[in-house]
Amino acid sequence: MQFQTESNSTYTIPSGDHVVTMRNRKRMDLTSVKSIDRFDQEEFLVRTSQGVLQIRGEELRIVHLDVDKGLLTLEGTVSTLQYDEEDSGSRNFLHKLFG
């Protein structure tokens, strides 16, 4: 997979590698996305090849999603990124719901 940056440099990312690119805390591109477990304007729970990524912020929204390629682009104001292991991320989310 290849990405072109604003400076017209091209980077090749090996298939399956998880990459997070953020521009000015306003736009995020993610690779190796398996699924989106939950999302609203303040929080996204994204299952990646490296575990569950919790993204918190304001006015978060999906700009682009390609399920087949595992690509996700978000916009909004990002305040927090946190990874949890695959299983513990689900357990933490359910624990928040049911105490």
Side-chain angles (χ1 to χ4, degrees), residues 52-69:
V52 176
L53 173 60
Q54 179 185 47
I55 304 163
R56 288 189 168 190
E58 297 174 6
E59 299 179 19
L60 300 175
R61 64 190 173 283
I62 296 173
V63 174
H64 177 78
L65 175 62
D66 187 329
V67 178
D68 295 330
K69 294 182 181 178

